[in-house]
């Protein structure tokens, strides 16, 4: 039976960490614990990010109801392999780095070199490489490449809805039947080759449109997944007020706000090398540098980033428009 995971901003801290302990592999849990201990001892400052997100492309073939991609003002493009290599080489032998995500504001599998990129990252010693996809491009050939020739440890499949009409009203331009068939083919090929990886993370967003289908969604996928796989039930958000609000009342923040954890944990790089401090910053308005010009470790500790951290430390996050309406600071 697959594991059940979920994210809600109002979940108690003890509940969140105790649940994750049984989902995350033991060695990864120990690694995270070591990072947290080092943070405490060093004044909440790690020398290098814990998570790096590489946006291979910001092109997307869908226009989803709750996504800001259709409003993006950024130029679209694809990360070139030389830039990717430059970034990954800086991540070698970095103990604090826990994960590398090959994803951003776009569909990662539109990038023609994603298989080679994931393999390169793994060969360079990155502990955990993962991505997220809408699964529309996932044919048998691509699934076989992912399973046999990529470096992915986990792939998250975003499927918002248990029924055709719900899914297609949210994931615009996608076919419900085709996406289900694509994922089932992926799972069959993985079983055929007796591979445990990539782990499949089947995700649904809880929102007005899907709230009555969560149990149905879980029951459907429980029958198809292996014990290492995950069903991820996640609250929808508004990208800091950049998209229309599809949350239900229980998803509104009820806990006291504190400085955003991402500012001391995550590092996000766009396809052109620009760096932002926030995974919700679709327009890169909080850009703090570019990895074409400066090293990751330098940007991580530069004055621009420290100013944003200090704004949060002092409780003045409302001064930053993107942070003012955000409900992801406890993610």
């Amino acid at each position: 039976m697959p594991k059940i995971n979920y994210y809600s901003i109002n979940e108690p801290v003890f509940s969140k960490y105790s649940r994750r302990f049984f989902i995350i592999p033991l060695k990864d849990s120990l690694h995270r614990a070591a990072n947290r201990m080092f943070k405490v001892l060093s004044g909440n400052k790690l020398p290098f990010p814990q998570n790096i997100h590489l946006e291979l492309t910001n092109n997307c073939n869908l226009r989803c109801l709750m996504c800001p991609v259709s409003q993006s003002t950024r130029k679209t493009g694809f990360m070139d392999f030389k830039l990717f290599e430059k970034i990954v080489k800086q991540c070698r032998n970095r103990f604090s780095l826990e994960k590398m995500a090959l994803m951003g504001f776009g569909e990662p599998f539109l990038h023609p070199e994603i298989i080679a990129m994931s393999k390169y990252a793994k060969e360079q010693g990155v502990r955990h490489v993962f991505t997220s996809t809408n699964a529309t491009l996932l044919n048998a050939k691509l699934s076989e490449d992912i399973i046999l020739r990529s470096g992915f440890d986990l792939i998250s499949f975003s499927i918002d809805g248990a029924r055709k009409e719900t899914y297609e009203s949210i994931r615009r331009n996608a076919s419900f039947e085709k996406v289900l068939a694509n994922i089932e083919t992926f799972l069959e090929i993985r079983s055929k080759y007796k591979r445990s990886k990539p782990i499949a993370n089947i995700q649904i967003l809880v929102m007005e449109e899907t709230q009555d289908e969560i149990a149905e969604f879980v029951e459907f996928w429980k029958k198809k997944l292996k014990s290492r796989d995950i069903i991820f039930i996640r609250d929808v958000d508004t990208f800091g007020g950049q998209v229309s609000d599809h949350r239900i009342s229980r998803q509104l923040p009820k806990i006291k706000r504190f400085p955003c954890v991402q500012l001391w944990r995550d590092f996000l790089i766009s396809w052109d090398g620009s760096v932002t401090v926030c995974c919700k910053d679709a327009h890169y308005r909080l850009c703090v540098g570019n990895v074409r010009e400066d090293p990751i470790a330098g940007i991580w500790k530069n004055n621009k980033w420290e100013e944003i951290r200090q704004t949060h430390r002092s409780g003045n996050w409302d001064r930053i428009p993107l942070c003012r309406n955000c409900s992801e600071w406890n993610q």
Side-chain angles (χ1 to χ4, degrees):
M1 180 176 173
K3 302 173 180 70
I4 308 293
N5 194 10
Y6 63 91
Y7 167 74
S8 170
I9 193 170
N10 295 311
E11 182 184 9
V13 173
F14 176 78
S15 171
K16 177 171 66 175
Y17 287 118
S18 60
R19 173 176 47 79
R20 289 181 179 177
F21 179 80
F22 294 102
I23 293 174
I24 300 169
L26 180 59
K27 64 177 182 178
D28 293 338
S29 293
L30 293 174
H31 187 197
R32 286 189 181 187
N35 268 336
R36 289 194 181 93
M37 188 178 298
F38 188 87
K39 271 185 177 181
V40 172
L41 296 174
S42 60
N44 207 32
K45 289 184 179 180
L46 288 173
F48 202 77
Q50 289 172 257
N51 303 319
I52 289 183
H53 293 243
L54 301 181
E55 179 185 71
L56 302 188
T57 181
N58 60 342
N59 285 283
C60 191
N61 57 338
L62 301 187
R63 289 297 179 266
C64 300
L65 194 65
M66 63 296 175
C67 181
V69 165
S70 60
Q71 306 168 21
S72 180
T73 56
R74 289 192 291 141
K75 180 181 177 182
T76 57
F78 296 85
M79 182 176 286
D80 64 72
F81 206 100
K82 287 186 178 179
L83 176 60
F84 182 81
E85 286 180 329
K86 179 181 179 180
I87 294 166
V88 172
K89 285 176 181 177
Q90 294 178 59
C91 297
R92 289 185 298 197
N93 304 316
R94 294 286 187 173
F95 180 82
S96 62
L97 182 64
E98 297 173 10
K99 296 180 180 181
M100 178 175 285
L102 306 190
M103 53 188 266
F105 289 98
E107 168 49 48
F109 285 98
L110 286 171
H111 198 297
E113 297 181 285
I114 185 172
I115 301 297
M117 287 172 154
S118 65
K119 183 179 180 182
Y120 179 79
K122 202 66 185 174
E123 288 173 345
Q124 293 299 306
V126 177
R127 292 179 180 87
H128 185 89
V129 183
F130 73 101
T131 191
S132 178
T133 177
N134 58 38
T136 57
L137 307 175
L138 197 68
N139 56 35
K141 172 65 169 62
L142 180 55
S143 289
E144 192 166 280
D145 284 344
I146 292 168
I147 293 160
L148 300 180
R149 288 174 273 279
S150 82
F152 287 119
D153 296 286
L154 179 146
I155 294 185
S156 184
F157 300 107
S158 298
I159 318 166
D160 297 308
R163 304 166 195 164
K164 175 181 173 67
E165 59 274 16
T166 303
Y167 172 85
E168 292 183 0
S169 70
I170 296 169
R171 294 268 163 182
R172 295 168 177 170
N173 299 336
S175 163
F176 184 64
E177 293 90 347
K178 182 180 178 182
V179 165
L180 290 190
N182 289 349
I183 297 172
E184 288 172 345
T185 296
F186 172 87
L187 297 173
E188 288 167 4
I189 293 173
R190 193 184 60 174
S191 293
K192 172 185 173 183
Y193 288 105
K194 297 180 171 59
R195 299 296 176 96
S196 60
K197 291 186 178 181
I199 292 168
N201 183 79
I202 308 293
Q203 176 179 289
I204 184 170
L205 292 176
V206 183
M207 50 200 294
E208 290 175 340
E209 292 80 0
T210 66
Q211 60 179 314
D212 296 329
E213 300 180 20
I214 303 303
E216 185 179 345
F217 182 91
V218 171
E219 284 304 310
F220 178 84
W221 288 105
K222 274 169 59 175
K223 301 168 186 174
K224 297 181 179 295
L225 299 175
K226 302 294 185 183
S227 60
R228 295 191 64 181
D229 296 327
I230 301 163
I231 298 172
F232 191 18
I233 305 163
R234 177 183 173 81
D235 284 357
V236 73
D237 65 271
T238 68
F239 287 83
Q242 295 179 97
V243 296
S244 56
D245 195 345
H246 295 270
R247 293 175 296 178
I248 52 182
S249 59
R250 65 179 172 80
Q251 295 170 329
L252 302 177
K254 295 177 178 62
I255 59 174
K256 185 178 179 181
R257 186 161 181 177
F258 49 80
C260 179
V261 296
Q262 288 191 46
L263 295 172
W264 286 269
R265 187 189 65 196
D266 300 343
F267 194 98
L268 299 106
I269 309 173
S270 75
W271 67 270
D272 63 358
S274 300
V275 175
T276 182
V277 303
C278 177
C279 69
K280 305 301 175 184
D281 187 12
H283 309 292
Y284 273 61
R285 288 173 179 149
L286 296 178
C287 184
V288 291
N290 192 298
V291 291
R292 292 185 184 275
E293 303 161 3
D294 298 299
I296 292 171
I299 296 172
W300 180 241
K301 295 177 283 189
N302 72 16
N303 290 335
K304 284 185 177 180
W305 202 315
E306 279 302 314
E307 286 176 9
I308 296 172
R309 289 183 179 126
Q310 183 54 38
T311 299
H312 274 248
R313 282 193 202 100
S314 60
N316 294 313
W317 39 73
D318 281 359
R319 295 179 182 176
I320 304 172
L322 185 63
C323 301
R324 185 179 304 135
N325 299 310
C326 183
S327 61
E328 291 293 288
W329 39 270
N330 189 30
Q331 184 175 336

